[in-house]
Amino acid sequence: MMDELRFRVISHLAVLYPKQAEETRALFADTLIHAMGIGDDVKPLTQYQNHWDQQDVYVITYGDTLLSPGVKPLSCLHQFLNKHLAGTINSVHILPFFPYSSDDGFSVIDYMEVNEALGDWHDIESIAADFKLMADLVINHCSAESRWFKNYLSGVKPGHNYFVEASPADDLSDVVRPRTSPLLKKVVTNEGEKHIWCTFSHDQVDLNFENPDLLLEFVKIIKWYLDSGIAVFRLDAVAFIWKVVGTTSLNLPETHEIVRLLRTLIEARKSDAVIITETNIPNRENLSYFGNANEAHVVYNFSLPPLLINALVTGCSHYLKNWLMSMPPAQMGTTYFNFIASHDGIGLRPAEGLLSDEEIQQLLDTMMAFGGEVSWRALDNGENKPYEINISLFDALKGTVNGEDEWQVERFVCAHLIMLALEGTPAIYIHSLLATGNDYERIKRTGHNRSINRHQWDYAELEKHLNSSSSIHHKVFNRLKRMIDIRVKQPAFHPNAIQYTLHLGDGVFAFWRQSLRRDQSIFAINNITDQPQDIPLTSINLVGTDEWVDLITGTRYHDLHGSLLLAPYQSVWLTNKSEY
């Protein structure tokens, strides 16, 4: 099996570094395999294995979302997870927990250290022992304050030739950017003045993977993470990592090849480890990171947040249904990562081609009326275009295009019931679990729009809310936990279970899931409007020989010629097998 592994690694390197001599390439393959800690006992490389099932639900959080005097934030987070979520949620994504200089962790100073303000590697290992742990591999860029970049300026290793240089005279007009800041940053090195490529900000300097030494550095970093208990690797901003002047420098063939190479090495080291690509780009491009089931195990369903929120505030499922029908079922060994809120905003690029310009503008207007902000990206014609909406999900769903109303909680819960039922693995942002609203004070302190949805809770204050039956945080938290507890027992909610879209009118968003063994069906039927919906059961094609029950309310439906009356924003999970 080692020979097969070497052959595959060499094949990847031939695409990335075609000018390398064959002997050099073979030696470098051996160096990478050794750096990953892969021994001669490597197991056969297999595809199409699912490393997940219906029990997998993630919570997404920063390491310092919960604060308690005298307690390291990671330890506080671990306490919260064990006390409130153990047995309900089995996986956690802790956003970058490394020393950083900006962007709330995504400008990494040292990939091998835990930010001492959060805790240490023991805290990470302790959480990984109790929960499946996802961590970020911030692979496109690092901090301008990192040792690598300081070494680059001085012309010494490690760091020399680790960064992408370009000239202001180069044709960079086609480069796709998610920001409005200038692409190039002028710096003074020991070799004179240079211009460094900065896709995101001038504190986040882009890394140069044309240098094999840098690739080796990241393989060593990945091994360290694996040894620390990290099982899921989120490749942050991976779509941008390979640059070629005169192109978009987005989704280039070499980028996909690096993902394939990392997957080969990671799987050889730990067969059930998982790669997830974070590619906030239009839907078709996003799906390309599945490759032929040989790139990402999991891709983010980036189109889901804007389309689902749009459906709930307009009361029309037309665009959401069209998108769902167009989504290919994930092959075995791959799946979707479903989310509707995260530490970032509601991305608008993934809605391009799915929502009309008028629909997007209406969504923007509605979100701004609910206290949201808008972040922008630069176009090659010098204009700016909305890139994302910055708002907490709880406030995003406080009303419709007609204004605020009394259905905020029901609409909010409905959104999560839809996400929990869809094909793929669900992930819930901690501030959605806690029904956290817009944090305007944090925006004032940081000056960044994304801070609106990055509130930091005093843990004692949060506990008071969660223990108070009259608190909105208690009500939402416990309702969502109950729904998750139901969800994780249903084989028809396996991430790869069959899914078909149902057509029950634009005021209803509905789909059918069937377990891999085909012994359980669940019809997830959701009223996405503020008006009751009456649905004839005959339109759902329920099998007459089965007994049907709603998993959420326990209501049984004996007369299949009757109707299903849904209150505003009510969801039902109608199943023929509820004894799981």
Side-chain angles (χ1 to χ4, degrees), residues 423-462:
E423 175 189 351
T425 297
I428 305 179
Y429 189 38
I430 192 168
H431 289 304
S432 295
L433 272 177
L434 301 175
T436 309
N438 292 335
D439 190 336
Y440 301 110
E441 289 300 319
R442 190 166 174 82
I443 286 185
K444 290 179 183 178
R445 290 197 304 273
T446 67
H448 298 296
N449 287 347
R450 284 180 167 178
S451 296
I452 198 170
N453 198 24
R454 298 179 180 179
H455 180 70
Q456 290 179 300
W457 275 98
D458 176 82
Y459 190 39
E461 178 187 357
L462 176 61

Side-chain angles (χ1 to χ4, degrees), residues 7 80 107 113 214 216 300 303 313 329 338 426 437 455 491:
F7 174 78
F80 171 81
S107 185
E113 295 292 335
L214 178 66
L216 177 58
Y300 274 79
S303 296
V313 299
N338 294 328
H455 180 70

Side-chain angles (χ1 to χ4, degrees), residues 360-374:
I360 290 176
Q361 187 58 54
Q362 180 178 238
L363 182 61
L364 285 167
D365 292 341
T366 304
M367 295 300 99
M368 287 189 287
F370 297 160
E373 302 284 349
V374 178

Side-chain angles (χ1 to χ4, degrees), residues 164 256 328 417:
V164 180
H256 287 276
L417 290 178

Side-chain angles (χ1 to χ4, degrees), residues 45-116:
L45 301 172
T46 57
Q47 287 182 300
Y48 312 116
Q49 288 189 333
N50 295 327
H51 303 307
W52 44 78
D53 60 25
Q54 63 273 15
Q55 298 179 62
D56 289 316
V57 179
Y58 283 80
V59 60
I60 306 168
T61 181
Y62 276 103
D64 59 356
T65 295
L66 306 176
L67 302 176
S68 181
V71 181
K72 288 291 188 178
L74 284 171
S75 179
C76 187
L77 173 63
H78 196 186
Q79 291 176 32
F80 171 81
L81 293 172
N82 280 337
K83 179 178 179 180
H84 292 287
L85 295 180
T88 297
I89 286 178
N90 68 350
S91 306
V92 58
H93 171 204
I94 305 178
L95 292 154
F97 45 77
F98 317 103
Y100 70 96
S101 54
S102 65
D103 198 17
D104 282 350
F106 285 92
S107 185
V108 178
I109 293 174
D110 190 334
Y111 291 88
M112 303 287 271
E113 295 292 335
V114 173
N115 183 352
E116 63 180 14

Side-chain angles (χ1 to χ4, degrees), residues 415-576:
H416 285 88
L417 290 178
I418 290 172
M419 180 189 69
L420 288 169
L422 282 169
E423 175 189 351
T425 297
I428 305 179
Y429 189 38
I430 192 168
H431 289 304
S432 295
L433 272 177
L434 301 175
T436 309
N438 292 335
D439 190 336
Y440 301 110
E441 289 300 319
R442 190 166 174 82
I443 286 185
K444 290 179 183 178
R445 290 197 304 273
T446 67
H448 298 296
N449 287 347
R450 284 180 167 178
S451 296
I452 198 170
N453 198 24
R454 298 179 180 179
H455 180 70
Q456 290 179 300
W457 275 98
D458 176 82
Y459 190 39
E461 178 187 357
L462 176 61
E463 286 283 9
K464 289 180 181 178
H465 284 293
L466 295 182
N467 291 328
S468 171
S469 60
S470 62
S471 167
I472 197 69
H473 308 289
H474 169 96
K475 293 175 181 177
V476 170
F477 184 68
N478 284 283
R479 283 186 67 178
L480 292 181
K481 279 186 62 178
R482 178 176 175 268
M483 295 301 100
I484 297 168
D485 286 338
I486 295 172
R487 189 248 188 219
V488 299
K489 298 174 184 176
Q490 313 307 320
F493 286 151
H494 186 288
N496 295 93
I498 295 167
Q499 176 174 284
Y500 287 106
T501 309
L502 304 179
H503 298 275
L504 302 175
D506 283 345
V508 175
F509 180 58
F511 46 94
W512 170 54
R513 303 295 309 281
Q514 187 180 55
S515 61
L516 296 175
R517 290 176 53 187
R518 299 192 176 186
D519 60 336
Q520 185 191 33
S521 288
I522 298 178
F523 291 88
I525 304 170
N526 309 276
N527 180 359
I528 60 163
T529 77
D530 57 7
Q531 299 297 316
Q533 298 286 331
D534 195 352
I535 303 166
L537 289 173
T538 53
S539 66
I540 307 174
N541 297 323
L542 302 178
V543 175
T545 55
D546 290 338
E547 294 185 2
W548 295 91
V549 61
D550 174 21
L551 291 168
I552 298 173
T553 63
T555 303
R556 295 189 175 273
Y557 293 84
H558 302 288
D559 181 7
L560 300 189
H561 295 282
S563 63
L564 181 66
L565 182 62
L566 296 180
Y569 303 106
Q570 182 183 354
S571 299
V572 299
W573 289 345
L574 203 56
T575 185
N576 63 334

Side-chain angles (χ1 to χ4, degrees), residues 206-225:
D206 282 33
L207 294 159
N208 179 20
F209 280 91
E210 290 189 43
N211 181 353
D213 291 343
L214 178 66
L215 177 61
L216 177 58
E217 291 275 11
F218 270 92
V219 169
K220 293 176 181 177
I221 290 166
I222 291 169
K223 177 186 180 296
W224 178 264
Y225 293 178

